[in-house]
Amino acid sequence: MTTARETVLGRVRDALALAPVGDTSVPRAYRTGRTLPDEERLALFTDRLVDYKAQVHPCTADRTAEVVAGVLRERGAARIGVPQGLDPTWLTGYDGEVRQDSADIPAPRLDVLDGVVTASAVSCAETGTIFLDGSPDQGRRALSLVPDLHVCVVDLSTVEAGVPEAVARLVPERPTTLISGPSATSDIELERVEGVHGPRTLAVVIRTDV
C-alpha cells in the first residue's frame, strides 16, 4: 500500500521532471541601500516595537547590566536561561539563578525558566523586526521560544532602515528566527491572545552607542 508521504513525494518528482530545464531570472528591482540617521532609526524602531506591544529600554552600553537586571527584577524572573556565548558582563547586576543552555537539554525542560536573555544579529526599523541567527550569543530557537519572557539586547548599529538592508546582513546558511513583538494570535472572535506560540513578554534593550 502506498503511503501518503510516498504519494506526495512521487507527485513532486513528477512535477520536477516536467518542469523546464534552465536557470530562471528573478527580478530584484526592489529598493535597496536606504539609510537613516541614528536618531531617526531609533525612533522608528522604537515606534514599531511599541506598536507590537514590546517593552523598549534604550540605554548606553555601560548600563547594559543595570537595565537587563532591572527588567528581570521587574518581571520577577528568579531563574533565567542564557545561550553559551552571551556576554557575561550583561548579567553582573542580576542576582537570580542563571542556567546556560545546551543542545542536550530537551526543549520541554526550558519551561522551568522564568525568562531568557539573548543578543541579536540584526534588526529592521521599518518593520520592528529582530533577527536571531543562532549565533553563540543568541542560542537555539527553542531557548527564545519556550520561556515566557525574552529579554533581547540589540545594538543600534545592527538596526537597518528596511527589510532588504537587514536581510543583506544575514548569513543565508544560518537558521534565522524573526521576532516582531511578543507571541500573539487571535481567536475566532478576533480577541488577541498572547504567549501561545512563544514568549508572552518581549523586552528589547537597545544599546544606543554600539
Side-chain angles (χ1 to χ4, degrees):
M1 180 180 295
T2 303
T3 65
R5 179 176 183 274
E6 291 171 341
T7 300
V8 171
L9 292 178
R11 290 178 180 176
V12 170
R13 284 190 290 268
D14 292 341
L16 290 174
L18 294 173
V21 179
D23 295 333
T24 301
S25 177
V26 179
R28 302 187 185 277
Y30 43 75
R31 184 171 51 179
T32 61
R34 287 177 295 164
T35 60
L36 287 173
D38 286 354
E39 290 186 3
E40 292 185 27
R41 275 187 297 117
L42 176 61
L44 180 59
F45 188 44
T46 300
D47 176 76
R48 296 297 191 266
L49 288 170
V50 171
D51 189 53
Y52 282 133
K53 300 186 182 303
Q55 300 175 5
V56 182
H57 304 271
C59 70
T60 52
D62 60 345
R63 295 188 58 236
T64 305
E66 173 191 346
V67 174
V68 169
V71 173
L72 294 172
R73 190 179 306 112
E74 179 184 353
R75 301 298 304 181
R79 182 189 300 113
I80 65 168
V82 298
Q84 294 181 356
L86 190 75
D87 188 339
T89 64
W90 293 359
L91 300 175
T92 54
Y94 176 65
D95 55 6
E97 179 184 350
V98 178
R99 295 188 179 183
Q100 192 174 89
D101 187 39
S102 167
D104 298 329
I105 300 175
R109 285 178 54 188
L110 297 174
D111 195 44
V112 303
L113 301 173
D114 298 316
V116 57
V117 179
T118 76
S120 56
V122 65
S123 298
C124 174
E126 189 173 56
T127 62
T129 304
I130 301 170
F131 298 74
L132 307 184
D133 67 0
S135 293
D137 59 357
Q138 296 155 54
R140 55 178 173 156
R141 181 169 295 165
L143 180 64
S144 61
L145 291 180
V146 177
D148 201 45
L149 165 67
H150 182 189
V151 180
C152 188
V153 179
V154 174
D155 293 342
L156 184 58
S157 62
T158 67
V159 179
E160 293 289 344
V163 173
E165 295 79 17
V167 171
R169 294 183 60 163
L170 296 171
V171 179
E173 294 78 16
R174 300 198 64 84
T176 305
T177 301
L178 279 63
I179 302 172
S180 295
S183 169
T185 188
S186 297
D187 62 17
I188 195 171
E189 296 179 349
L190 300 182
E191 292 291 333
R192 179 183 172 94
V193 181
E194 298 177 350
V196 178
H197 309 296
R200 192 186 315 270
T201 302
L202 173 66
V204 184
V205 178
I206 307 175
R207 307 203 303 171
T208 58
D209 57 344
V210 180

